[in-house]
Amino acid sequence: MAAVTFHEYPHRGELMKRAPEIMDAVMRRSAGKGKDWGGRLDVEGAIAVAQALANGQEIAGLEAYVLNNSHLLIFSIGAPWYAFREVWLIEQFFIRIGRGPLDAALHDLDILARDRSAKRIVMATSLAADDSALGRLYGRNGYRPDSTQHIKDL
């Protein structure tokens, strides 16, 4: 199975029923590595947005696809203010939801981005349990680290 819209994914109902436990596990893994990023999420709001996308509702600026029957990707398409002549695909949420290699999912992502005339894909590791491990997997697929985030809580 290649990329399919989330609302056409046959197992979306089961996935959304498990969404609270999935999010809890993601945030525990991330926090276990000393990362605070998960604590900044409105988990109920994020699940509500994912449910709306699973139901086929349009959410301004967001799209959701299941790649290779193994990864859920929520993303936006747009031009950053500093590269306003280019279209970029910007990952907002990316998670493994089934069996299948990341390489195949990223291949589907390349096709999805090209179909939208994107010149760049931005992927992050904000909720990853291990930034460097996920970075190595991305690197194997042509991605390279380009910046880091620094967050100050007030």
Side-chain angles (χ1 to χ4, degrees):
M1 177 182 280
V4 297
T5 59
F6 190 28
H7 72 274
E8 294 174 327
Y9 179 61
H11 305 292
R12 69 187 178 284
E14 299 132 48
L15 181 61
M16 290 311 303
K17 284 179 188 168
R18 294 183 28 238
E21 75 183 63
I22 291 169
M23 289 298 288
D24 183 58
V26 166
M27 299 220 290
R28 274 188 286 112
R29 277 193 314 268
S30 179
K33 294 291 185 169
K35 294 171 74 173
D36 294 335
W37 210 92
R40 294 177 176 86
L41 294 181
D42 172 358
V43 174
E44 289 179 17
I47 291 172
V49 168
Q51 183 65 61
L53 291 165
N55 292 338
Q57 295 176 19
E58 290 189 25
I59 305 290
L62 291 180
E63 295 184 50
Y65 276 77
V66 173
L67 308 174
N68 188 48
N69 203 33
S70 63
H71 290 76
L72 171 63
L73 172 70
I74 300 176
F75 64 96
S76 58
I77 293 286
W81 67 270
Y82 48 84
F84 65 92
R85 291 186 178 103
E86 290 186 354
V87 174
W88 292 21
L89 186 149
I90 303 167
E91 172 252 335
Q92 303 292 327
F93 185 71
F94 186 59
I95 187 170
R96 175 184 293 280
I97 59 169
R99 293 184 177 185
L102 176 64
D103 295 347
L106 293 176
H107 173 75
D108 287 350
L109 174 55
D110 289 350
I111 294 167
L112 196 64
R114 285 186 184 104
D115 286 349
R116 283 159 179 69
S117 301
K119 299 296 181 202
R120 307 205 190 295
I121 300 171
V122 179
M123 299 294 284
T125 61
S126 300
L127 289 173
D130 187 331
D131 291 341
S132 58
L134 183 54
R136 283 190 300 277
L137 292 172
Y138 285 154
R140 227 178 36 212
N141 287 277
Y143 293 81
R144 59 180 168 64
D146 203 61
S147 66
T148 59
Q149 293 182 10
H150 299 266
I151 299 173
K152 179 180 180 179
D153 292 324
L154 300 176

